[in-house]
Amino acid sequence: MFRFLRKKRVEEAVPEARPEVNVAPEPEVNVAPEPEPEPAEPPRAEAPAPEKGGLFNRLRTGLARSRGALGDSLGTLLLGKKEIDESLMEALETQLLLADVGLEATEAVLERLTARVKRRALNDEDALMGELAEVLAELLGEQHRPFEIQPASPFVVLVVGVNGVGKTTTIGKLAQRFKAAGHRPLLAAGDTFRAAAVEQLKLWGTRADVPVIAQGEGADSASVLFDAVSAARARGADVVLADTAGRLHNKGHLMEELAKVVRVLKRFDEAAPHAVLLVLDAGTGQNALAQAKTFAEVAPLTGLVLTKLDGTAKGGVAFALAKQAGLPIQFVGVGEGAEDLRPFEPRSFVAALLGAEAP
């Protein structure tokens, strides 16, 4: 059971405007976009800090904006409540939808919450909030599966997504994490449409002391990945992290290029790519669901990475993804540091989002 901190009453809460479901189309891939912002000093490969409280506090800090939009507002609604009536249900539904939890996930949360409360006698002001936390954690946990590197020659991780979501930065941070865990990663600069992406990946490779396989700007992405897997086998690397060009999920010919990459990788190993991580910007809200659906049609997605949670109040989209995408969220990004790309853990995420103590 979650243990909640005593909440202060707030005089006025101003919810963020309800996010639009549809977002403007991304720029064409074949036109070099502005490079993704790069941390001034990417940290060198170091083992993650073992102190549990410190890691949880970083998660709490990174989710501050989403907690303000969801956790604090829900806490105010439920303060002192011991039962659910119609007016409270309507208020909860509105708040969950405003926080980008999504219609299907919201309906599931309210139905499960009502069932749990009917079975339990609530005798303190935090009890209803605790039941809500349990329901949210259960919803996230239904699809949860930690990311694992399995034995392969090598284990190929394909990282995909639309422009600007942070794919290259995510790969650099994963390389540091895997290197610190004792693996021998190799990076493949498959985003050949942006010279800046190649240079950015090389910088991360230098900092983490991880080799990077790259070709010239405009080279065939599938060719780069073919070379990278060949190099990994020759050098004894056990993990290949492959960058890909940002592509629009609604542009068929660009998505076909991604399908070609998958076909080429299977020439080495019918099971390759062994993992396909779709990187999603949490700030896009419900549009993340459309991206997940379309990418799944051309690549065998195995997991999601939800980035930029520290810059948005739309962290509730994690629940919509858990309910509708049918894929586990395996990493979340809550800051610029390498340690801020964290393995996703449902109960810790919910506790940080709602302002509870570490589970």
Side-chain angles (χ1 to χ4, degrees):
M1 179 67 68
F2 288 85
R3 294 175 294 138
F4 281 84
L5 306 176
R6 187 72 63 179
K7 301 178 179 64
K8 296 182 179 179
R9 293 183 179 272
V10 292
E11 296 180 358
E12 182 179 7
V14 182
E16 289 196 8
R18 184 169 182 167
E20 294 292 335
V21 171
N22 297 316
V23 298
E26 299 280 348
E28 292 291 344
V29 172
N30 57 358
V31 177
E34 291 293 326
E36 297 172 7
E38 173 68 15
E41 285 292 331
R44 295 183 182 277
E46 297 177 353
E51 201 277 305
K52 181 179 178 181
L55 291 176
F56 180 76
N57 287 336
R58 294 187 74 89
L59 181 61
R60 276 181 63 99
T61 300
L63 291 174
R65 295 186 65 180
S66 291
R67 185 167 59 254
L70 179 60
D72 293 348
S73 299
L74 290 176
T76 301
L77 284 175
L78 300 179
L79 189 63
K81 299 287 186 180
K82 297 183 181 180
E83 61 182 8
I84 296 179
D85 55 26
E86 185 175 349
S87 63
L88 179 57
M89 287 286 283
E90 291 179 356
L92 282 173
E93 179 180 36
T94 298
Q95 199 58 54
L96 290 169
L97 290 174
L98 286 173
D100 257 301
V101 172
L103 182 59
E104 288 190 28
T106 293
E107 291 176 347
V109 167
L110 295 180
E111 180 180 343
R112 297 180 189 189
L113 179 62
T114 301
R116 290 180 69 97
V117 170
K118 285 181 178 178
R119 295 196 302 266
R120 289 167 172 78
L122 305 182
N123 53 18
D124 64 76
E125 65 180 24
D126 285 338
L128 189 53
M129 191 66 166
E131 294 297 331
L132 176 60
E134 293 291 338
V135 167
L136 293 173
E138 287 175 3
L139 182 63
L140 290 178
E142 288 174 353
Q143 293 294 337
H144 180 56
R145 185 175 68 253
F147 184 88
E148 295 182 355
I149 296 175
Q150 302 293 338
S153 300
F155 188 86
V156 180
V157 183
L158 192 63
V159 182
V160 302
V162 302
N163 288 319
V165 295
K167 293 185 305 300
T168 305
T169 299
T170 294
I171 290 172
K173 293 176 179 180
L174 287 175
Q176 293 200 24
R177 173 175 289 277
F178 296 161
K179 180 76 177 290
H183 291 284
R184 301 180 303 282
L186 179 146
L187 307 183
D191 185 354
T192 58
F193 288 95
R194 288 196 307 131
V198 176
E199 294 306 312
Q200 184 182 1
L201 198 65
K202 286 181 176 178
L203 177 59
W204 280 103
T206 298
R207 295 288 181 177
D209 192 25
V210 172
V212 179
I213 303 301
Q215 295 182 11
E217 184 177 355
D220 181 61
S221 181
S223 175
V224 175
L225 269 61
F226 187 92
D227 288 350
V229 175
S230 299
R233 287 184 168 181
R235 302 181 188 189
D238 63 344
V239 182
V240 171
L241 288 162
D243 197 4
T244 60
R247 59 198 73 236
L248 305 177
H249 63 286
N250 58 355
K251 297 292 184 181
H253 66 288
L254 298 176
M255 297 300 284
E256 176 55 31
E257 291 181 2
L258 179 57
K260 176 185 176 182
V261 167
V262 173
R263 291 195 300 270
V264 167
L265 289 173
K266 289 187 179 300
R267 295 178 187 175
F268 281 95
D269 183 344
E270 184 59 33
H274 304 93
V276 183
L277 296 177
L278 173 62
V279 181
L280 299 168
D281 181 345
T284 63
Q286 295 296 297
N287 192 48
L289 291 168
Q291 293 176 25
K293 180 178 183 297
T294 307
F295 273 94
E297 294 173 355
V298 295
L301 300 182
T302 58
L304 306 175
V305 181
L306 197 56
T307 64
K308 307 183 182 182
L309 280 162
D310 56 314
T312 182
K314 300 179 181 180
V317 72
F319 301 98
L321 289 167
K323 180 63 178 175
Q324 294 178 250
L327 291 164
I329 300 172
Q330 295 186 310
F331 295 96
V332 289
V334 292
E336 291 187 347
E339 68 277 11
D340 293 320
L341 182 70
R342 304 170 47 87
F344 182 70
E345 205 289 313
R347 294 181 67 84
S348 292
F349 182 85
V350 170
L353 189 63
L354 298 185
E357 296 175 348

